[in-house]
Amino acid sequence: SASTIGSPTYITGFIHSAILFDSSFSQSLSAPAMALNSRSFTIEFWFYCYTTIGYYHAVFGQLSVIGTTRQTLFVVLNNGRWHFGFFNDDSHSVRTLAANTWYHIALVYNNDLRQRLIYIDGVI
């Protein structure tokens, strides 16, 4: 139920089609906020990395809702490594991604343990 911003285009993906986001056009998807402060969740997607150079390529984010905690979630690619966290308790991948490659990414959050896991192609 997400709406597009900046008219991203569809291209051939790893499986079927994929959305191509061009950062120079400020393209994104916008969806209603999700209650992330009190539940476990998994975010997963296929990702093609054109370049691994550069800081903080935002992939997913959600700002805080006033009066709640642990809802400022972000997922960024920073110099080829994934960063995943809320405010001031970030996790990052050990593996550095290569350019021009498809990856399956799964970001798992266990609310009971306050644990964040980053899987790249099925490996933590």
Side-chain angles (χ1 to χ4, degrees):
S1 62
S3 58
T4 60
I5 298 171
S7 301
T9 56
Y10 288 88
I11 61 170
T12 301
F14 187 77
I15 299 173
H16 302 294
S17 62
I19 300 175
L20 174 64
F21 295 102
D22 185 329
S23 62
S24 63
F25 295 117
S26 298
Q27 295 171 328
S28 63
L29 296 176
S30 178
M34 296 173 276
L36 300 174
N37 62 326
S38 60
R39 66 173 57 160
S40 298
F41 61 87
T42 299
I43 299 169
E44 65 178 303
F45 51 93
W46 286 96
F47 181 82
Y48 186 84
C49 192
Y50 283 106
T51 181
T52 59
I53 299 170
Y55 295 102
Y56 300 108
H57 298 284
V59 176
F60 181 89
Q62 178 171 293
L63 298 177
S64 288
V65 176
I66 295 173
T68 61
T69 59
R70 305 189 59 74
Q71 283 199 350
T72 304
L73 173 67
F74 70 91
V75 175
V76 297
L77 186 62
N78 182 11
N79 281 324
R81 293 175 60 192
W82 287 103
H83 292 257
F84 166 44
F86 295 95
F87 181 76
N88 204 24
D89 65 349
D90 312 341
S91 294
H92 64 274
S93 63
V94 175
R95 182 176 171 188
T96 301
L97 304 184
N100 302 311
T101 304
W102 279 101
Y103 294 96
H104 181 263
I105 308 300
L107 307 163
V108 178
Y109 177 67
N110 181 317
N111 186 60
D112 294 334
L113 301 175
R114 299 276 193 230
Q115 179 186 46
R116 291 158 313 283
L117 300 172
I118 301 171
Y119 290 85
I120 302 173
D121 295 332
V123 178
I124 293 179

